[in-house]
Amino acid sequence: MTRITPSLAEYFGALKRKLYEGSRPGAFMRAVNRLDALLYASGLFFPRNAVTLEVVGRSTGRPVSLPVAVADHDGERFLVSMLGPDANWVRNVRAAGGRAVLRRRGREVVSLEEIPVEQRAPVLRRYLAVAPGARPHMPVDRRAPLSEFETIAHRYPVFRVRRQAHAADPHSPSEQGGKR
């Protein structure tokens, strides 16, 4: 029997992709993301993998905050760009040399290290398991074999989260090359 009407999940997936048309959030999603960033930073009401990422904007020099999901894999933490390499936060992290802050009931100064494409597949699969909102943006089912994730891994940047024990605040003027 052929199904003619799309399922509710397919409908909401299409809607979510529309809200991020061009790999950028539209006005409505920017407002939702601002609210989510505040809630994630507070650590209230959300799963433990929901955090707020703060990174210095590459053109403004000011901190930019956005909600992200942390994927844990093999005892390490990772951030994944569901929108690919052109997402603003990815470009800002690269411009900041990986310096960032994660907020969830406090601030954690971190270094984000981009991992090679060959290492991304298991992290991408884990990411889809913990970040249901990202599923409409990736063309692979979260239960697919690793080989399917390997075929798309080059399209989704993955960053290993490294805690910085004695790091300076990445938002300070000296850490931004004097930019403020």
Side-chain angles (χ1 to χ4, degrees), residues 3-15 17:
R3 196 175 80 219
I4 297 171
T5 59
S7 72
L8 196 55
E10 291 168 333
Y11 171 78
F12 282 115
L15 176 62
R17 284 187 299 277

Side-chain angles (χ1 to χ4, degrees), residues 36-165:
D36 282 349
L38 291 170
L39 292 172
Y40 286 14
S42 75
L44 302 174
F45 314 116
F46 288 97
R48 65 176 179 79
N49 67 318
V51 301
T52 295
L53 170 67
E54 287 183 357
V55 62
V56 174
R58 65 193 177 284
S59 33
T60 65
R62 291 189 300 242
V64 177
S65 299
L66 67 143
V68 294
V70 176
D72 55 317
H73 178 70
D74 281 346
E76 295 187 285
R77 298 178 299 162
F78 298 89
L79 298 183
V80 175
S81 173
M82 70 181 189
L83 299 177
D86 293 327
N88 270 332
W89 77 263
V90 171
R91 294 172 19 188
N92 287 339
V93 164
R94 288 173 175 161
R99 292 182 305 275
V101 171
L102 295 181
R103 291 181 39 223
R104 181 174 173 80
R105 295 185 184 162
R107 295 171 51 87
E108 177 186 9
V109 178
V110 297
S111 176
L112 301 176
E113 168 193 316
E114 194 163 358
I115 66 171
V117 171
E118 307 79 49
Q119 297 174 14
R120 294 179 185 174
V123 177
L124 292 173
R125 183 164 62 183
R126 177 66 182 148
Y127 175 68
L128 288 185
V130 301
R135 294 175 192 159
H137 300 283
M138 294 186 166
V140 175
D141 184 82
R142 64 188 166 113
R143 294 173 291 265
L146 276 181
S147 60
E148 289 188 36
F149 286 93
E150 289 167 354
T151 63
I152 64 158
H154 67 283
R155 295 168 43 191
Y156 300 96
V158 176
F159 295 87
R160 179 178 287 114
V161 177
R162 299 250 191 237
R163 179 179 290 225
Q164 297 299 298

